[in-house]
Amino acid sequence: MPKKANRIKPRSQKTRRRKKGIPWIRELLFYPWLLTALSVSVLLLFVWVESSNEYNGFDWVVFLGIGVWFFWSIVLLSLFGILATYTSLLFVLGFLLCWEGIKLHLHRCHKILILLVILICSFFFWLLCTYWKDRWLTIGLSLQVYAPYLHLSSISVMVLLSWPVAFYLIHLEGEARIRRHQMTCYKGKRDKINNTLMNLRALQVAVGLPFFLILLCLYVMPFGNYSPCIQEKDKLGPKPSFFGHRGAPMLGPENTMMSFEKAVEHGAFGLESDVHISYDHVPFLMHDLNLRRTTNIKEVLPNASLRHPSLFDWDFLSTLNAGKWFSHSRIKPFYHMKPLSEVDKEKAGNQKIPKLTDLLELAQKEKKFVIFDINVPTPKHFHRVTYVRHLVRVILDSKIEQHLIFWLPGIDRKYVRSTAPGFQHVGRLFPIERLTKENISRINVDYKRLFYNGLREYKAANININLYIVNEPWLFSLAWCSRIQSVTTDNIQVLNQINHPYFFMTPSFYMFMWILLDVVSAIFIFAIFYFHWWRERSKKEKLLKSTSIFMDTQSVSLRTGKSENLEAPDLSMESSTRVMEIPWSLAALTKNVRKHPASKSEPVMETMETLMLGEDDVTQPVFTTKTFKPTQAPIWEASREPSFQTALPSLMVNETISSIDVPHPETQPEKPPESIESFEESSFLFSATSSPSLYSFELSSKKN
């Protein structure tokens, strides 16, 4: 009985078995949590970035709660950025590991942090949905401005993503082609191969269908896209006018004369302020409901820092400093405000709380409009009920032109109209019928209300609109494109320098860019898919071609083996369980292969034992011979060298040869010496495929 040669399992087969487990399935219980953490963290970061117009208001609200002024909005921005960056990096690393077929096992610390990210983001979303519902309107407005540019940039991103998507889809298609080819060879395993094909098709659909659906939506997005900044140049309205919110609070302490003077210097159309009435009936300018933020009352009278401003006499209020908190504090009221010059810093440090009459004198001198809110006095105040009438008398006594007053309070309008008929009344976001009935031609509206159809019905009714508070250039550009007449701003020094709205484009230009980018991106994506398809096809064609050559050679050798069976000489191999080593070398051949003369009187009966063909290996032919006794070794030694010299050039240099099952010479009985016939030709028939496991070797000898 011949000894079976040791079979070397190909490296690719071991690797393939190690990669059978799909990491996505093994981490199904936790990988979705990572995706959820990534989504909510990125969404929260986007929402907070787009809410930058409200950072100062948020810092003020936090100050009212904890009594400490700091850039809490920037702290949250940093926190959300860290969360989004951490989850993004973790997701990318996990995706790359899964792409390489490596099991995704997150460390326990990462799992805890991911759950913590989800809890933190959920908490802040709850706060936004509960207390700042209108913050979502800001996101809608930002999308109206950035939508055309997001559309064009998203198509570019899809072109970049098409490279890995095409690589993966074409790779799956190549795997499917191999499985279909195997079905013709291994009929007994058709069910298993069919299941594999179904899994491959499912992966192709899961990856390719969302990609092409998103791409199709991006291609047709302009049909459902609306942006006020896409319009003809002749339809663009005039630049909105500016109301200085508490003056110019980035250039001077808010609600001080320095701040109002700075607003006038930068071209303010009007001045906005907040009015309190002191306990001795003097109207003065102050926004907060206490004096601790904008004055030095903590140094003068710490126990009274939380009292309402209307409970103080003007004699005491006039002694407080209203500018050191702005000029000498380490933390400024606005994060991105520029540092003050030495002159402005000294001037700001000497500011006092101004009276309303001081503002009216400046407005009369510079011919600027004045608009203000009135804070209701405390219940113990003398003018608790009559504060509106008292304020009207103070304004009329200042001798300011009545048309320069934009009267905003909605209380006791009949008295105001009868006493000061020249005041311009400003309403809120009331129904148009009410505004028409009260003869109000101007409204003061929160900028977020611009989201609802751009307030078109009010513009159609010839009602002038003033938006508050607009600090960001993109928001000012949106108001400009929406034909808004005026805005109230803290950032007048920046917005006044804008001479053309940002993100403005004509419909024809946008359509040109849309069609051009769609066509170019489609060509690029098609070229990327075609390149991957061509490369994968070339690779698989080489594999299938080499496999076909092997199958043809195997069938031919099986057919010719029977006809030469009776004429073939007896062969014997030297004692070794492995005839040839890896890699193939001339030394290995000459060392392990010996030729022995065959007997004329007793022909050699040679048969082929063929193994079943598996998925990853190819059957090796097994030789069995009759026993005989080798004689006249010197003749064989003399003739073997030319035979191998003619056989070796046909071998590939880097190919490795599977071992051959041969009988051990020691197990064969000796025979008496017979006559020797020399061999005229000895050759090797060799067939190999690109797969590491598909190698075959056949050694045949033809008799002279």
Side-chain angles (χ1 to χ4, degrees):
M1 290 293 293
K3 292 184 179 180
K4 291 187 177 179
N6 297 330
R7 183 171 302 167
I8 299 177
K9 189 172 293 185
R11 183 181 182 86
S12 61
Q13 183 177 355
K14 296 179 182 178
T15 305
R16 194 177 300 112
R17 288 180 180 177
R18 187 166 57 247
K19 293 183 179 181
K20 279 185 178 180
I22 302 177
W24 284 284
I25 299 178
R26 301 197 179 194
E27 286 291 327
L28 273 179
L29 295 178
F30 195 81
Y31 199 76
W33 291 103
L34 175 58
L35 184 60
T36 303
L38 173 65
S39 303
V40 296
S41 60
V42 171
L43 179 60
L44 186 60
L45 177 62
F46 173 75
V47 170
W48 197 247
V49 168
E50 294 304 315
S51 301
S52 59
N53 192 79
E54 303 290 333
Y55 284 176
N56 183 258
F58 176 80
D59 295 338
W60 177 73
V61 171
V62 176
F63 171 80
L64 294 180
I66 64 177
V68 178
W69 182 266
F70 193 71
F71 299 126
W72 303 108
S73 56
I74 304 301
V75 172
L76 287 184
L77 179 64
S78 303
L79 174 63
F80 299 154
I82 291 172
L83 296 181
T85 303
Y86 167 72
T87 54
S88 300
L89 291 176
L90 201 60
F91 181 81
V92 170
L93 292 176
F95 176 78
L96 294 177
L97 290 176
C98 293
W99 180 273
E100 294 296 328
I102 302 175
K103 298 178 183 179
L104 179 62
H105 290 297
L106 294 174
H107 193 270
R108 183 179 302 174
C109 294
H110 287 303
K111 294 182 179 180
I112 294 175
L113 287 175
I114 288 174
L115 294 178
L116 189 61
V117 168
I118 296 176
L119 291 177
I120 292 174
C121 294
S122 301
F123 172 73
F124 280 102
F125 274 123
W126 174 78
L127 289 179
L128 289 176
C129 296
T130 304
Y131 299 103
W132 276 1
K133 294 181 181 179
D134 54 356
R135 201 63 61 233
W136 300 105
L137 300 179
T138 304
I139 306 304
L141 291 175
S142 66
L143 291 178
Q144 288 184 6
V145 175
Y146 297 116
Y149 299 90
L150 288 176
H151 164 238
L152 300 178
S153 59
S154 298
I155 294 179
S156 303
V157 172
M158 294 300 291
V159 173
L160 296 178
L161 289 177
S162 64
W163 183 273
V165 171
F167 173 81
Y168 191 63
L169 292 179
I170 300 301
H171 177 72
L172 292 178
E173 182 63 26
E175 293 291 334
R177 289 182 61 191
I178 293 178
R179 297 303 185 274
R180 287 195 298 268
H181 180 74
Q182 288 177 348
M183 291 179 65
T184 61
C185 302
Y186 316 121
K187 297 182 179 180
K189 296 185 178 181
R190 281 190 174 182
D191 294 338
K192 183 177 179 180
I193 297 177
N194 280 330
N195 294 334
T196 305
L197 283 174
M198 292 179 62
N199 293 334
L200 292 174
R201 293 305 182 193
L203 285 175
Q204 283 182 309
V205 172
V207 175
L209 185 61
F211 175 81
F212 286 106
L213 286 179
I214 295 174
L215 186 63
L216 180 62
C217 292
L218 290 176
Y219 281 162
V220 300
M221 179 182 289
F223 290 110
N225 184 24
Y226 167 73
S227 177
C229 293
I230 299 179
Q231 56 178 297
E232 299 295 342
K233 291 183 178 180
D234 55 352
K235 294 183 179 180
L236 182 65
K239 182 179 179 178
S241 303
F242 300 105
F243 277 90
H245 184 238
R246 308 171 198 170
M250 293 188 184
L251 304 176
E254 66 178 58
N255 282 324
T256 62
M257 295 309 298
M258 177 184 177
S259 179
F260 293 119
E261 291 170 358
K262 290 290 184 180
V264 171
E265 291 177 7
H266 286 82
F269 171 76
L271 304 173
E272 189 273 344
S273 185
D274 307 273
V275 179
H276 283 275
I277 300 177
S278 67
Y279 200 73
D280 54 352
H281 323 310
V282 177
F284 65 96
L285 307 181
M286 179 66 60
H287 174 266
D288 293 1
L289 298 180
N290 55 63
L291 303 173
R292 60 176 177 169
R293 183 175 68 91
T294 57
T295 67
N296 63 337
I297 193 172
K298 283 187 177 182
E299 301 174 2
V300 178
L301 198 62
N303 295 332
S305 60
L306 297 179
R307 290 175 58 185
H308 197 276
S310 63
L311 297 178
F312 294 96
D313 291 334
W314 174 248
D315 292 338
F316 173 76
L317 294 173
S318 61
T319 62
L320 296 177
N321 185 286
K324 285 186 177 180
W325 69 275
F326 180 86
S327 60
H328 293 80
S329 176
R330 293 184 298 105
I331 303 175
K332 305 300 180 183
F334 295 90
Y335 179 74
H336 53 279
M337 63 176 291
K338 295 181 179 180
L340 298 175
S341 64
E342 292 298 329
V343 176
D344 289 342
K345 189 174 181 179
E346 182 180 357
K347 183 178 181 180
N350 297 323
Q351 293 297 306
K352 302 292 184 179
I353 299 177
K355 295 187 292 186
L356 175 61
T357 54
D358 297 333
L359 176 61
L360 297 178
E361 290 177 5
L362 178 64
Q364 176 65 34
K365 178 183 177 181
E366 300 292 341
K367 302 300 180 184
K368 300 297 180 182
F369 295 93
V370 177
I371 186 173
F372 48 80
D373 288 309
I374 303 177
N375 291 280
V376 182
T378 60
K380 297 180 180 181
H381 200 278
F382 178 79
H383 291 294
R384 169 68 178 181
V385 180
T386 61
Y387 67 94
V388 172
R389 300 189 178 192
H390 175 71
L391 197 59
V392 171
R393 287 195 297 268
V394 172
I395 295 174
L396 294 177
D397 292 342
S398 67
K399 304 302 182 182
I400 188 175
E401 299 178 21
Q402 293 188 13
H403 73 278
L404 295 178
I405 302 298
F406 282 4
W407 186 261
L408 184 59
I411 301 175
D412 211 356
R413 282 189 183 271
K414 291 183 180 181
Y415 171 81
V416 176
R417 288 183 183 276
S418 61
T419 307
F423 287 1
Q424 299 189 51
H425 288 261
V426 180
R428 305 288 184 178
L429 196 62
F430 301 141
I432 297 179
E433 294 78 9
R434 178 181 173 181
L435 296 175
T436 305
K437 183 179 178 179
E438 297 182 2
N439 194 23
I440 296 175
S441 60
R442 185 182 294 270
I443 58 176
N444 192 44
V445 184
D446 187 358
Y447 75 91
K448 304 178 195 65
R449 302 301 173 183
L450 193 63
F451 178 78
Y452 299 108
N453 298 323
L455 302 174
R456 296 176 186 175
E457 60 275 12
Y458 293 91
K459 290 182 287 186
N462 294 324
I463 296 177
N464 294 329
I465 301 172
N466 179 71
L467 297 181
Y468 67 90
I469 301 167
V470 177
N471 293 331
E472 294 297 320
W474 70 266
L475 194 55
F476 176 72
S477 300
L478 179 63
W480 190 346
C481 295
S482 300
R483 303 180 68 88
I484 299 299
Q485 285 75 25
S486 61
V487 297
T488 301
T489 179
D490 296 320
N491 200 15
I492 188 172
Q493 71 279 1
V494 173
L495 301 186
N496 190 45
Q497 297 178 358
I498 299 177
N499 298 320
H500 194 269
Y502 295 166
F503 314 107
F504 179 84
M505 66 175 68
T506 60
S508 58
F509 177 77
Y510 178 55
M511 182 173 294
F512 170 76
M513 293 298 299
W514 166 36
I515 296 176
L516 177 64
L517 194 59
D518 284 1
V519 172
V520 172
S521 64
I523 294 175
F524 269 97
I525 292 175
F526 176 80
I528 290 172
F529 271 82
Y530 180 79
F531 170 76
H532 285 289
W533 174 81
W534 171 80
R535 189 175 66 174
E536 190 72 17
R537 182 185 179 186
S538 301
K539 186 190 303 181
K540 298 306 177 183
E541 281 183 352
K542 292 180 180 179
L543 176 62
L544 296 176
K545 184 177 180 181
S546 58
T547 306
S548 301
I549 293 174
F550 163 74
M551 297 300 293
D552 295 341
T553 306
Q554 192 77 354
S555 59
V556 170
S557 63
L558 290 175
R559 288 195 302 267
T560 57
K562 294 182 179 180
S563 61
E564 297 177 357
N565 207 10
L566 296 176
E567 301 177 1
D570 290 344
L571 295 178
S572 177
M573 303 296 174
E574 193 145 55
S575 63
S576 176
T577 57
R578 296 293 307 274
V579 177
M580 281 159 288
E581 304 295 335
I582 297 175
W584 182 293
S585 63
L586 179 59
L589 290 176
T590 57
K591 177 181 178 181
N592 295 320
V593 182
R594 298 286 183 87
K595 178 178 178 182
H596 295 276
S599 175
K600 287 184 179 181
S601 61
E602 188 175 358
V604 176
M605 299 299 294
E606 180 178 344
T607 59
M608 300 291 293
E609 294 181 2
T610 308
L611 301 176
M612 292 299 295
L613 189 63
E615 291 183 9
D616 298 313
D617 54 20
V618 176
T619 303
Q620 309 293 342
V622 180
F623 293 91
T624 60
T625 61
K626 264 192 170 185
T627 60
F628 58 91
K629 182 177 181 180
T631 58
Q632 298 184 12
I635 301 178
W636 165 256
E637 294 290 337
S639 61
R640 67 173 182 172
E641 194 69 21
S643 301
F644 283 115
Q645 293 294 333
T646 58
L648 287 177
S650 62
L651 299 177
M652 299 295 293
V653 176
N654 293 325
E655 299 289 346
T656 59
I657 309 302
S658 301
S659 59
I660 304 176
D661 294 348
V662 297
H664 200 288
E666 295 179 0
T667 61
Q668 300 180 11
E670 294 186 359
K671 290 187 65 175
E674 301 281 347
S675 60
I676 301 171
E677 290 186 8
S678 62
F679 285 86
E680 190 175 4
E681 180 183 4
S682 178
S683 63
F684 292 98
L685 299 178
F686 176 73
S687 174
T689 65
S690 59
S691 175
S693 62
L694 298 181
Y695 293 100
S696 69
F697 168 76
E698 180 181 356
L699 177 61
S700 65
S701 301
K702 291 188 178 181
K703 188 176 180 182
N704 185 11

